[in-house]
Amino acid sequence: MNSQKGQRGAAETLGMGGVHGTPSGDLGKYGITPSGEVYWNLAAGDLINLAVSRGEGKLSAHGALVTETGERTGRSPNDKFIVDEATVSDDINWGDVNVSTDLGTFERMRAKVVDYLSAQDALFVQDLYCGADFSEALPIRVINHNAWHNTFARNMFIRPDEEQMADHTPEFTVLHAPHFEADAEVDGLNSQCFVIVNYAAKEVIIGGTRYAGEIKKSIFSVMNLILPKKGILPMHCSANTTGENTAIFFGLSGTGKTTLSADPKRALIGDDEHGWGSNGVFNFEGGCYAKLIDLSEEDEPAIFGTTRRFGTVLENVVLDSEGVPDFHNTSKTQNTRGSYPIEFIDNRTGDSKGGHPQNVIFLTCDAFGVLPPISRLTPSQAAYHFISGYTAKVAGTEIGVKEPQATFSACFGEPFMPMHPGVYADLLSDKMAEHGSTAWLINTGWSGGAYGEGNRMKIKYTRAMLNAALDGDLDAVDYITDGRFGFEVPTSCPGVPSEVLQPRTTWTDGEAYDATANKLAEMFNDNFKRYEAGVSPAVNAAAPAPVE
């Protein structure tokens, strides 16, 4: 006989504002017949205590919960599938990113997940929302068999108050069984891991991976199909505001979305996922999921402070002999992460919302070292670079490989975008035109040479350039048009040496710069060929042109 604990919820121990009511219905509607105890809507503090007592993790010297994800320390894009069925088939941009599976495969794997969850000694359920604008919020339910994953879900999504909980009826459910591994050959999958979204059933099933980010990104993908049909732009971006001046920051992982949006002079709206609707920008999430590699208190004091609080979950972070996190230790992975409720950032908006953005920032970490540290873009260039979604990283998987690798991810989040990139690009262009937004490209990568020769751009310079753009201090300065990429590059910026602004002058070998810059321009053009037919002549004309 199974019991159900915590149906009215425990007292909120971390000041996160949650009041937890009795859930409507039980797990039987999913076919789950629990063998053990079921914990409904527990506060993060209670979940963390359970995680420690169950051996799922341990506390750091400062009280953060430290966990490990095992072999998979990041997302598994090759194991993500969408059920191809009539309600969404024509909306999905099928291909290498959005891979189809059939209903039979989903139902077979779902049955295995349900059986597995039913046999566990405990299950943990959270009723939450995705979206701080409750006129567009998606009510979700997350069912886990680890207390720490349930803590992650509670940290990352919107925690309802008592009134909102009373109205909560889940419209999408995540069945999360990270320790259940598929048999790839028998089950017709690519590996033991699977993330399958079924829009008709309004369910996500996840198995074979303990990486917690799969939970939040699966729901992000759902929002990216639902919202464009309502004229709302879903965005893989961070956002902050002064109240009257709002900015959004697009960028792939490691480009600085979380770091640069945590600004002491501007209130944080959110660090990763947002919507741009008729009322302005709103956060999808109730927390942050920060990369912690090389985190320092000096450069990122707000984020650093969250790692020393009970309620934060640290993934794959190595502790020293005193139990203190060593953020420079990458022996487990370079993708060390920390999840924490947004309330752990003191300087934030109270409602996770902001106005229509005056500035749209595209962040790139250019390991080739050729893009200017800041550039102003025309509307056509903004559309081109939004669709391109460029960054570059250094190959670290093979010994002796030092050449930077270009990475292009449409809309700065292609793995999470079920529809064609043009849908999102058109929405962005329309909203920028309607609200008079200015687009900027900021390179947080290398200067003075490519990786291995140059140096990473100093964060204090990047912040100075960003603040100058947001505050209007670059409106009246002189600009030089880059002959290769067409960007408008400022000749001066408060707090930044003028020579830093022109990347060619930072290289000791100008010809080497030209050759590398031409190579990158060709990479842009090669990548954009798959989008040429679906964009306007003006956007195609915004492509870079190699200079002889």
Side-chain angles (χ1 to χ4, degrees):
M1 181 176 181
N2 58 284
S3 63
Q4 295 198 350
K5 283 193 174 183
Q7 289 195 4
R8 294 194 60 81
E12 186 62 72
T13 58
L14 296 176
M16 298 180 201
V19 179
H20 316 292
T22 302
S24 58
D26 59 21
L27 300 186
K29 65 189 251 183
Y30 304 104
I32 298 174
T33 55
S35 299
E37 301 189 89
V38 180
Y39 297 85
W40 288 89
N41 296 314
L42 291 187
D46 298 307
L47 288 168
I48 288 172
N49 289 334
L50 281 167
V52 173
S53 67
R54 288 165 53 85
E56 297 174 7
K58 58 185 177 181
L59 297 181
S60 73
H62 304 104
L65 178 65
V66 182
T67 63
E68 295 187 16
T69 64
E71 176 186 357
R72 294 180 182 254
T73 58
R75 291 184 301 103
S76 300
N78 295 329
D79 299 297
K80 174 190 165 195
F81 305 92
I82 301 172
V83 176
D84 188 356
E85 42 81 22
T87 66
V88 298
S89 187
D90 292 340
D91 296 322
I92 305 296
N93 182 37
W94 300 109
D96 294 338
V97 173
N98 295 305
V99 180
S100 68
T101 190
D102 56 44
L103 181 59
T105 298
F106 173 81
E107 290 180 339
R108 182 174 65 254
M109 298 312 300
R110 185 191 186 281
K112 292 184 178 184
V113 166
V114 165
D115 287 346
Y116 185 85
L117 291 174
S118 296
Q120 300 310 301
D121 63 343
L123 295 176
F124 302 87
V125 186
Q126 288 288 330
D127 290 320
L128 303 160
Y129 286 88
C130 183
D133 184 338
F134 276 86
S135 66
E136 304 297 344
L138 179 71
I140 64 171
R141 174 169 288 169
V142 182
I143 303 170
N144 310 99
H145 75 253
N146 282 338
W148 86 259
H149 284 112
N150 206 236
T151 311
F152 174 88
R154 184 166 181 79
N155 277 354
M156 295 310 304
F157 293 108
I158 304 290
R159 295 164 289 279
D161 60 23
E162 186 173 10
E163 181 179 355
Q164 293 158 350
M165 180 66 84
D167 293 334
H168 187 283
T169 300
E171 294 182 14
F172 239 92
T173 299
V174 178
L175 304 178
H176 185 250
H179 296 283
F180 170 72
E181 296 185 350
D183 184 322
E185 185 174 349
V186 172
D187 294 321
L189 301 173
N190 295 328
S191 73
Q192 76 274 18
C193 170
F194 55 93
V195 179
I196 308 178
V197 182
N198 185 333
Y199 285 95
K202 299 185 182 300
E203 288 185 345
V204 181
I205 57 173
I206 301 175
T209 173
R210 286 182 277 161
Y211 179 67
E214 297 285 15
I215 299 171
K216 86 184 200 90
K217 288 305 185 188
S218 65
I219 293 297
F220 183 43
S221 297
V222 169
M223 296 292 277
N224 289 336
L225 184 68
I226 293 173
L227 293 186
K229 298 178 182 181
K230 301 179 180 181
I232 299 170
L233 173 63
M235 304 176 292
H236 184 215
C237 73
S238 58
N240 64 23
T241 187
T242 63
E244 297 181 353
N245 183 318
T246 297
I248 55 178
F249 303 77
F250 290 96
L252 300 178
S253 179
T255 58
K257 290 197 317 300
T258 299
T259 299
L260 293 174
S261 57
D263 187 316
K265 297 180 180 179
R266 302 174 64 86
L268 180 70
I269 301 172
D271 82 324
D272 194 47
E273 301 171 5
H274 294 81
W276 187 351
S278 59
N279 298 319
V281 172
F282 62 96
N283 195 354
F284 285 174
E285 301 182 299
C288 303
Y289 193 39
K291 291 194 74 168
L292 302 181
I293 180 69
D294 293 329
L295 179 71
S296 72
E297 186 173 16
E298 179 182 0
D299 287 339
E300 302 174 78
I303 297 172
F304 186 87
T306 69
T307 68
R308 298 188 164 217
R309 293 188 63 167
F310 182 68
T312 292
V313 179
L314 304 179
E315 288 182 34
N316 299 314
V317 172
V318 177
L319 301 179
D320 67 16
S321 59
E322 302 297 321
V324 176
D326 179 357
F327 297 119
H328 304 289
N329 189 322
T330 60
S331 58
K332 294 179 182 177
T333 178
Q334 292 212 7
N335 190 34
T336 51
R337 293 273 183 168
S339 76
Y340 48 89
I342 198 168
E343 288 84 353
F344 281 12
I345 299 294
D346 292 333
N347 186 28
R348 67 184 189 283
T349 60
D351 58 3
S352 293
K353 293 187 283 188
H356 297 287
Q358 285 81 10
N359 292 281
V360 175
I361 312 297
F362 300 140
L363 298 171
T364 182
C365 178
D366 177 28
F368 293 97
V370 297
L371 292 184
I374 185 167
S375 311
R376 189 169 62 188
L377 309 184
T378 67
S380 295
Q381 289 170 342
Y384 180 92
H385 285 277
F386 180 65
I387 293 175
S388 295
Y390 165 72
T391 193
K393 56 187 177 182
V394 178
T397 56
E398 298 179 30
I399 295 175
V401 176
K402 298 181 180 179
E403 180 76 9
Q405 294 182 338
T407 298
F408 295 93
S409 183
C411 310
F412 294 95
E414 189 170 13
F416 324 118
M417 304 294 178
M419 307 177 88
H420 190 280
V423 173
Y424 308 104
D426 287 346
L427 275 170
L428 178 64
S429 294
D430 291 346
K431 290 186 178 298
M432 288 181 62
E434 179 181 357
H435 300 289
S437 308
T438 301
W440 304 86
L441 179 68
I442 291 182
N443 173 22
T444 63
W446 272 258
S447 176
Y451 175 87
E453 296 181 4
N455 296 298
R456 188 82 186 259
M457 183 64 60
K458 293 181 179 179
I459 192 169
K460 69 176 183 179
Y461 290 161
T462 298
R463 284 200 180 278
M465 289 181 279
L466 173 62
N467 290 336
L470 300 185
D471 295 341
D473 293 339
L474 297 182
D475 292 350
V477 304
D478 293 330
Y479 285 80
I480 295 175
T481 299
D482 185 286
R484 184 176 287 101
F485 294 98
F487 306 141
E488 292 183 329
V489 183
T491 59
S492 62
C493 177
V496 181
S498 59
E499 61 269 18
V500 171
L501 299 172
Q502 306 297 326
R504 193 178 190 275
T505 64
T506 67
W507 284 52
T508 57
D509 185 341
E511 291 184 358
Y513 170 86
D514 291 335
T516 305
N518 282 341
K519 179 180 179 180
L520 180 59
E522 291 168 356
M523 290 178 182
F524 268 97
N525 293 332
D526 288 343
N527 171 72
F528 207 79
K529 288 177 181 177
R530 52 183 169 152
Y531 306 119
E532 287 175 347
V535 301
S536 69
V539 173
N540 278 319
V547 176
E548 298 299 330

